[in-house]
């Protein structure tokens, strides 16, 4: 038995080496293992994927396009659009289950969440939620989808197994939810109209902290150790960093007009910030608290995602209907991939241990 396990382990290692792709990050592994390992959302012996674009092991980016009501599937190794999924009205963001067998898309104008089968590239269910769903995050156990609805004060909870709404979290009269980040039992929700970030305990569903931010906070992110909250503030053109324990401001780095989204390097020392109204991205030195380099001529630079090795960053350009590929070592833009009209969010689909360096 021991010899058989050794042979299997060597075989897996060879597959990973031949794929030319990186292993999962420490944080991704931690979240997966704390949720009980590879969960049961996938079905053993499931039917084979329908077509090349639906291969479970394919390394891809999913990009929703607001104006065409569809989702583009981009093959990472070739940089080509290899498939699409028709969605409801004005899809904004998308997330994957940890097995990558399911994806969930928020459709703003139809006020629904699309449940997508990533092997068949078909929508299997539409779940009504609150008005104008926008930011979405999925619990590590894949059971609960948290949905921010821009037009009201609630975060909506969707039971992914039952396929229906399963309650709300009330953030108070006048609150406007936008983007979210989840770390442990803390959910961070940006309020772009009231210039705040709310911190909610997902176990008690109660607000435990309100952080006053700069003008128009957008896509918030949490550091891998959970100690820092990164907040791009569009109205001020800054990247703000807060202590998650007490909500105190730690730093403020000028980036560009309409600061929108941020990715943080695994070592926590640097990051890249998109600026939608500034049509640019800015590399920042987090340790030194300063901007390093700005890349211009990126029309409507909106959302951003790293590949697994963080050697490339993919940016949706809502102004030119493209995804720009940026080499993070040379800090230069490379190819631009044509996608649907007004691309919004972007999310990497790659199984643990597969993908990202291609």
């Amino acid at each position: 038995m021991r010899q058989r396990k050794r042979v299997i382990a060597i075989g897996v290692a060879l597959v990973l080496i031949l794929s030319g792709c990186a292993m999962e990050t420490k944080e991704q592994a931690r979240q997966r293992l704390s949720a009980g390992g590879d969960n049961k959302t996938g079905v053993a012996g499931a039917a084979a994927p329908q077509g090349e674009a639906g291969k479970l092991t394919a390394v891809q980016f999913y990009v929703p396009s607001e104006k065409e009501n569809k989702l583009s599937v981009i093959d990472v190794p070739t940089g080509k659009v290899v498939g699409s999924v028709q969605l409801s009205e004005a899809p904004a963001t998308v997330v994957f289950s940890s097995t990558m067998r399911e994806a969930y898309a928020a459709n703003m104008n139809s006020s629904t969440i699309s449940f997508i089968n990533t092997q068949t590239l078909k929508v299997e269910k539409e779940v009504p939620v609150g008005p104008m769903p926008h930011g979405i995050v999925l619990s590590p156990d894949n059971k609960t989808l948290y949905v921010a609805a821009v037009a009201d004060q609630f975060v909506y909870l969707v039971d992914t197994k039952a396929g229906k709404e399963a309650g709300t979290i009330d953030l108070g009269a006048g609150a406007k939810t936008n983007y979210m980040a989840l770390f442990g039992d803390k959910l961070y929700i940006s309020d772009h109209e009231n210039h705040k970030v709310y911190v909610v305990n997902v176990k008690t569903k109660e607000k435990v902290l309100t952080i006053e931010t700069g003008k128009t906070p957008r896509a918030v992110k949490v550091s891998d150790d959970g100690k820092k909250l990164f907040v791009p503030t569009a109205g001020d053109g800054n990247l703000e960093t807060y202590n998650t324990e007490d909500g105190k401001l730690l730093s403020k780095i000028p980036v560009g007009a309409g600061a929108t989204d941020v990715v943080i390097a695994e070592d926590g020392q640097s990051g890249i910030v998109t600026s939608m109204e500034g049509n640019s991205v800015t590399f920042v030195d987090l340790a030194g608290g300063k901007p390093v380099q700005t890349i211009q001529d990126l029309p409507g630079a909106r959302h951003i995602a790293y590949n697994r090795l963080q050697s490339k960053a993919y940016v949706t350009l809502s102004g030119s209907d493209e995804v720009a590929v940026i080499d993070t070592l040379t800090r230069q833009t490379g190819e631009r991939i044509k996608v649907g009209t007004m691309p919004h969010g972007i999310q990497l689909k790659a199984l643990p241990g597969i993908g990202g360096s291609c």
Side-chain angles (χ1 to χ4, degrees):
M1 177 63 74
R2 184 175 299 172
Q3 182 65 26
R4 183 169 178 265
K5 287 182 178 178
R6 186 176 299 154
V7 170
I8 292 172
I10 292 171
V12 170
L14 284 173
V15 168
L16 295 176
I17 291 169
L18 290 174
S19 72
C21 298
M23 295 293 287
E24 63 186 323
T25 66
K26 293 178 182 178
E27 175 59 17
Q28 288 164 331
R30 186 195 66 77
Q31 289 188 347
R32 174 171 57 80
L33 293 172
S34 66
D38 289 327
N39 56 69
K40 306 300 181 182
T41 54
V43 180
Q50 300 299 309
E52 292 296 311
K55 280 187 176 179
L56 193 59
T57 55
V59 185
Q60 300 164 336
F61 278 106
Y62 275 29
V63 180
S65 301
E66 281 186 48
K67 295 299 183 183
E68 290 186 21
N69 302 329
K70 75 172 186 180
L71 184 149
S72 297
V73 179
I74 299 170
D75 179 66
V76 172
T78 64
K80 304 294 184 183
V81 176
V82 293
S84 65
V85 182
Q86 198 63 37
L87 299 175
S88 290
E89 296 179 62
T93 52
V94 61
V95 296
F96 293 100
S97 68
S98 62
T99 62
M100 303 297 156
R101 293 178 182 273
E102 301 87 18
Y104 305 93
N107 305 301
M108 293 187 292
N109 291 354
S110 60
S111 298
T112 61
I113 300 296
S114 294
F115 284 42
I116 303 164
N117 183 316
T118 62
Q119 294 98 83
T120 63
L121 299 184
K122 301 289 185 183
V123 174
E124 297 190 333
K125 186 182 288 288
E126 288 283 320
V127 177
V129 287
M132 295 193 72
H134 192 218
I136 51 178
V137 294
L138 185 63
S139 61
D141 63 7
N142 294 336
K143 294 179 179 179
T144 304
L145 187 69
Y146 298 93
V147 182
V150 175
D152 70 15
Q153 68 199 52
F154 300 99
V155 172
Y156 291 81
L157 280 59
V158 174
D159 183 328
T160 59
K161 305 305 176 187
K164 63 181 181 180
E165 185 190 316
T168 60
I169 298 173
D170 189 351
L171 297 175
K176 299 293 182 184
T177 64
N178 193 4
Y179 289 102
M180 296 184 294
L182 178 65
F183 190 95
D185 59 3
K186 298 289 179 60
L187 182 65
Y188 300 84
I189 309 110
S190 63
D191 183 333
H192 59 296
E193 290 192 14
N194 296 299
H195 319 305
K196 298 175 181 178
V197 171
Y198 306 111
V199 186
V200 169
N201 184 309
V202 294
K203 293 181 178 178
T204 64
K205 298 181 176 61
E206 293 182 351
K207 186 166 54 177
V208 296
L209 182 65
T210 298
I211 301 173
E212 302 285 342
T213 69
K215 295 178 182 177
T216 321
R218 284 180 172 165
V220 295
K221 299 290 174 64
V222 181
S223 62
D224 281 352
D225 60 8
K227 295 181 179 180
K228 294 179 181 179
L229 176 70
F230 301 98
V231 183
T233 53
D236 295 324
N238 292 325
L239 175 66
E240 299 178 353
T241 305
Y242 294 87
N243 185 318
T244 55
E245 186 66 29
D246 55 18
K248 289 185 178 179
L249 179 67
L250 299 175
S251 69
K252 188 182 294 186
I253 302 174
V255 283
T260 300
D261 198 1
V262 59
V263 286
I264 307 299
E266 191 174 11
D267 62 8
Q269 299 300 298
S270 62
I272 310 172
V273 185
T274 62
S275 299
M276 188 165 68
E277 286 81 1
N279 304 315
S280 63
V281 301
T282 300
F283 287 79
V284 294
D285 175 2
L286 295 172
K290 61 184 179 181
V292 176
Q293 181 177 331
T294 297
I295 300 175
Q296 305 286 352
D297 192 29
L298 297 173
R302 202 164 196 167
H303 289 288
I304 183 169
Y306 279 130
N307 66 346
R308 192 64 66 78
L309 277 186
Q310 300 185 351
S311 59
K312 293 180 182 179
Y314 292 75
V315 182
T316 55
L317 306 180
S318 57
S320 63
D321 308 331
E322 297 170 308
V323 170
V325 184
I326 297 175
D327 186 312
T328 61
L329 298 177
T330 64
R331 298 177 188 157
Q332 300 292 322
T333 54
E335 62 186 320
R336 292 192 181 186
I337 304 164
K338 200 71 176 178
V339 290
T341 307
M342 196 176 287
H344 198 127
I346 183 166
Q347 194 77 8
L348 176 68
K349 170 184 166 287
L351 284 168
I354 298 176
S357 63
C358 305

